[in-house]
Amino acid sequence: AILRLMLFLNHFCCNVFILVAAPFEDDDKIVGGYECRKNSLPYQVSLNAGYHFCGGSLISSQWVVSAAHCYKSRIQVRLGEHNIDTNEGTEQMIDSAKVIRHQSYNGNNLNNDIMLIKLSRPATLNSYVNTVSLPGSCASTGTQCLISGWGNTLSNGGKYIGQGRLMQKKIISVIK
Ligand SMILES: [Ca+2]
């Protein structure tokens, strides 16, 4: 998952806020992550299709950026989440209106692994739900990036062992 994440970061010109949680078993990890302070990353969203399957980042009140390998034709975006198993009173659940993969996405090598989701209505921005700024340029090798999301924090553990249902974060370096 980390390799996939790094590829994704690389192809996305190093947006440091992107979460990756791929839709494959054993690929849904945030290895070495630790629990975020609740709602401290208000741009982080969970993508849901009856179950959490990927993450994304809110970039405006009506648009989310995620990874193209997370594509589904219909997605419910869950904003203001921390524990994805319980109702904490901060969540907004908004269906997608459009799901747009990069036109040159390549599922074999994951080039251009980026996707936009338009929400069917604007999110209400507050202290639990807010946008993240897009970078103006590429990050150089070794730049420290914050990754976040939900998933297993162990590289060799079962799915969602430990705190994987609570939002996790980790600092990693851009490798290329
Ligand atoms: Ca929740």
Side-chain angles (χ1 to χ4, degrees):
I2 291 294
L3 177 60
R4 187 178 292 266
L5 168 68
M6 291 185 176
L7 288 168
F8 177 62
L9 286 168
N10 195 31
H11 289 292
F12 193 56
C13 216
C14 315
N15 275 300
V16 297
F17 51 84
I18 297 297
L19 130 89
V20 156
F24 310 110
E25 194 177 10
D26 274 356
D27 210 9
D28 202 359
K29 297 186 169 75
I30 180 155
V31 175
Y34 55 95
E35 185 182 345
C36 293
R37 185 165 50 82
K38 202 170 178 182
N39 305 115
S40 60
L41 303 176
Y43 52 81
Q44 175 72 56
V45 308
S46 164
L47 305 185
N48 191 283
Y51 52 91
H52 166 85
F53 66 92
C54 266
S57 296
L58 189 67
I59 56 170
S60 78
S61 63
Q62 211 160 356
W63 288 93
V64 166
V65 64
S66 183
H69 72 258
C70 293
Y71 176 81
K72 294 183 189 296
S73 59
R74 296 181 59 179
I75 295 171
Q76 185 187 64
V77 177
R78 297 191 166 188
L79 310 101
E81 279 285 12
H82 180 66
N83 184 333
I84 50 176
D85 283 337
T86 65
N87 183 359
E88 299 149 297
T90 55
E91 298 90 345
Q92 296 178 44
M93 298 178 185
I94 304 178
D95 290 338
S96 60
K98 293 181 188 173
V99 185
I100 307 166
R101 277 173 294 189
H102 192 291
Q103 61 185 8
S104 300
Y105 169 60
N106 182 325
N108 295 317
N109 60 20
L110 296 180
N111 280 351
N112 305 301
D113 190 9
I114 185 169
M115 175 172 83
L116 287 168
I117 302 167
K118 186 176 187 184
L119 304 181
S120 57
R121 60 180 168 83
T124 300
L125 303 184
N126 55 36
S127 60
Y128 310 107
V129 175
N130 218 319
T131 58
V132 66
S133 299
L134 292 170
S137 62
C138 291
S140 55
T141 300
T143 299
Q144 300 283 287
C145 297
L146 173 67
I147 60 169
S148 57
W150 292 268
N152 197 339
T153 56
L154 302 175
S155 62
N156 59 351
K159 207 169 188 183
Y160 299 128
I161 281 179
Q163 300 299 301
R165 307 303 280 176
L166 309 177
M167 193 192 297
Q168 308 285 314
K169 66 180 179 181
K170 181 174 173 61
I171 304 290
I172 63 166
S173 294
V174 174
I175 56 173
K176 177 173 173 289

